[in-house]
């Protein structure tokens, strides 16, 4: 049996209510997320339910893209996201393993690929 321990998030940002500064869907602290390093990211709702898990070679641009482009799996659910957790994971093989594991252990609501559980 393989024992996988999910890394502790390096950065957590939360949605602001009525933000006064520049924001994307209420998130004002994207600058805290590394632009250059790779890792995994998790989107949660206000009930702390896991909505979506992804991986990226460069985290900040990839996460922002989920809030901007028209083909993101969360495009219809962007308003639900209230917290983003980011874990730095430089090794691409490790990113792949963590992403698949977290999707299935956390039963991520909007992931379509790499799902081995059935949605209720």
């Amino acid at each position: 049996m393989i024992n996988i321990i999910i890394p502790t998030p390096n950065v957590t940002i939360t949605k602001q209510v009525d933000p006064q500064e520049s924001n994307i869907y209420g998130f004002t602290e994207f600058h805290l997320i590394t632009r250059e390093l790779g890792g995994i990211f998790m989107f949660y709702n206000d009930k702390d339910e896991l909505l979506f898990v992804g991986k990226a070679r460069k985290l900040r641009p990839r996460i922002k893209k989920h809030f901007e482009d028209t083909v993101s799996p969360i495009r219809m659910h962007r308003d639900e996201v209230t917290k983003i957790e980011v874990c730095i994971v430089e090794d691409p093989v490790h990113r792949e393993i963590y992403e698949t594991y977290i999707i299935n252990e956390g039963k991520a609501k909007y992931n379509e690929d790499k799902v081995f559980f059935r949605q209720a």
Side-chain angles (χ1 to χ4, degrees), residues 63-118:
I63 293 169
K64 282 178 136 181
K65 194 169 177 115
H66 275 290
F67 290 94
E68 296 166 346
D69 77 16
T70 58
V71 296
S72 169
I74 67 154
R75 70 186 171 283
M76 304 300 285
H77 312 284
R78 292 174 177 145
D79 287 329
E80 282 183 63
V81 180
T82 59
K83 180 173 78 173
I84 301 170
E85 290 185 343
V86 176
C87 302
I88 307 299
V89 180
E90 277 296 291
D91 186 295
V93 173
H94 292 173
R95 284 195 298 262
E96 186 74 36
I97 291 167
Y98 281 131
E99 180 192 33
T100 303
Y101 181 77
I102 295 168
I103 287 169
N104 288 284
E105 281 297 303
K107 297 190 177 11
K109 194 171 180 180
Y110 300 124
N111 281 88
E112 297 165 1
D113 296 332
K114 303 176 186 172
V115 174
F116 301 121
F117 66 92
R118 296 199 189 278

Side-chain angles (χ1 to χ4, degrees), residues 14-30 64 67-68:
T14 55
K15 187 178 207 168
Q16 305 299 308
V17 177
D18 195 26
Q20 300 305 309
E21 54 273 5
S22 175
N23 72 89
I24 298 172
Y25 282 86
F27 290 96
T28 60
E29 298 177 313
F30 276 104
K64 282 178 136 181
F67 290 94
E68 296 166 346

